[in-house]
Amino acid sequence: MNKYIPVAAKITDIVKHTDIEWTFRVSCKTDGVLPGKFYEISIPKFGESPISVSGYGNDYIDFTIRNVGKVTSELFKYNIGDNFFIRGPYGNGFDVSLYEERDIVVVAGGSGLAPVRGIIEYFYNNPNKCKSFKLIAGFRSLEDILFKPDIKRWSEKLDVLVTVDKADEDYNGNVGLVTKYIPNLNIENLDNMSAIVVGPPMMMKFTVEEFLKRDIAENNIWVSYERKMCCGIGKCGHCKMDDTYICIDGPVFDYSYAKNLID
């Protein structure tokens, strides 16, 4: 696949998590795919939209998409068997080998769970390749929780905590922002820990601050800055921050680099 030329991708499955957040599985080659990388999804006459990979196998890719714009609203009219166009993969993703033999904490906010889903799947399938694995996933409400069957399955092997911003008084689960749970993490060896943080900008800002309070090294904290990406190949300049093109050099960075990016 020439990553600069769109190719047709056939929809083989659609999972409707909420009214506006669906996962589209398409049949295609997966050369070069990593969690955190993205594709440009296009529909003729409607345009393109950069979408992160939320899962992949030998012959398929999952895209978890929110219906918020011209391209995505048209895509939500599509059915299994229909084709849309993709080009990619682009960007710098999460290299799971960097987290092997380490204590891993993934903190995801809302749809930020999609780009890290591949990391979770990898260590779910290979739990012996990490010292420990904890997922903290936060959502606005119970109705906004994504990947519910996956979360249930992950909980069988991994330490999974799901929290919501608000819920009815009779709800017995966790309520509160993801930052609430970081001070209570049992971290024995700070030098052997990797923190991965993906979500809305303010959520990432305050989550990273909580890890820094725990004296986690900046180069052991990883974030994804999916900022204003458009062309995917560093030509349009929309995503440029200082001398960094998010679509090429990112969207995944360790925080020692990301902290210097000025918008």
Side-chain angles (χ1 to χ4, degrees):
M1 181 189 299
N2 185 326
K3 67 178 183 178
Y4 300 113
I5 300 176
V7 297
K10 179 176 287 188
I11 300 171
T12 60
D13 193 19
I14 298 174
V15 178
K16 300 179 180 180
H17 306 287
T18 71
D19 290 341
I20 62 168
E21 289 164 312
W22 298 359
T23 292
F24 294 80
R25 175 165 292 183
V26 299
S27 176
C28 66
K29 295 181 179 179
T30 59
D31 298 340
V33 176
L34 285 176
K37 286 195 172 189
F38 69 97
Y39 280 74
E40 291 286 347
I41 287 179
S42 61
I43 298 177
K45 299 190 293 184
F46 291 89
E48 287 188 320
S49 182
I51 303 293
S52 294
V53 171
S54 64
Y56 59 96
N58 292 329
D59 58 358
Y60 73 85
I61 297 176
D62 291 339
F63 297 104
T64 301
I65 299 173
R66 176 176 289 179
N67 185 357
V68 292
K70 184 177 180 181
V71 176
T72 54
S73 62
E74 181 65 20
L75 182 57
F76 270 54
K77 300 175 185 177
Y78 280 35
N79 299 300
I80 294 173
D82 292 338
N83 292 312
F84 56 84
F85 290 86
I86 63 174
R87 59 181 176 91
Y90 296 131
N92 175 39
F94 293 102
D95 182 353
V96 292
S97 68
L98 296 176
Y99 313 123
E100 291 182 351
E101 306 303 325
R102 299 178 66 82
D103 295 297
I104 305 164
V105 179
V106 175
V107 185
S111 58
L113 184 57
V116 298
R117 181 170 172 248
I119 304 173
I120 303 167
E121 287 287 350
Y122 177 80
F123 287 105
Y124 172 83
N125 291 320
N126 302 278
N128 60 313
K129 290 191 175 183
C130 65
K131 295 291 185 181
S132 67
F133 191 103
K134 184 173 185 65
L135 168 65
I136 303 174
F139 301 93
R140 285 180 296 179
S141 69
L142 294 173
E143 291 73 26
D144 294 306
I145 296 176
L146 305 179
F147 307 113
K148 289 180 181 178
D150 289 335
I151 289 173
K152 182 178 180 181
R153 176 170 52 85
W154 295 336
S155 299
E156 297 170 0
K157 295 183 183 180
L158 307 174
D159 185 357
V160 176
L161 185 153
V162 175
T163 184
V164 294
D165 293 351
K166 58 183 179 179
D168 295 335
E169 292 183 359
D170 58 353
Y171 175 61
N172 295 321
N174 299 299
V175 178
L177 302 178
V178 292
T179 50
K180 172 182 175 181
Y181 302 94
I182 296 172
N184 298 324
L185 288 173
N186 182 17
I187 305 170
E188 294 183 3
N189 184 355
L190 297 178
D191 294 333
N192 195 52
M193 180 195 160
S194 293
I196 300 165
V197 181
V198 183
M202 293 306 292
M203 168 264 172
M204 290 198 295
K205 170 183 169 64
F206 290 109
T207 300
V208 168
E209 286 184 1
E210 289 298 325
F211 279 118
L212 294 176
K213 290 177 185 177
R214 298 292 306 270
D215 294 323
I216 307 300
E218 292 177 345
N219 62 351
N220 286 335
I221 301 172
W222 297 82
V223 296
S224 181
Y225 283 3
E226 298 179 8
R227 173 198 179 273
K228 299 179 181 178
M229 295 187 297
C230 187
C231 71
I233 56 176
K235 297 299 183 182
C236 72
H238 283 83
C239 69
K240 188 179 181 186
M241 299 175 74
D242 294 334
D243 293 326
T244 298
Y245 289 88
I246 303 300
C247 68
I248 297 176
D249 305 308
V252 174
F253 303 95
D254 74 62
Y255 186 69
S256 66
Y257 187 96
K259 70 176 184 178
N260 297 311
L261 296 176
I262 300 174
D263 199 349

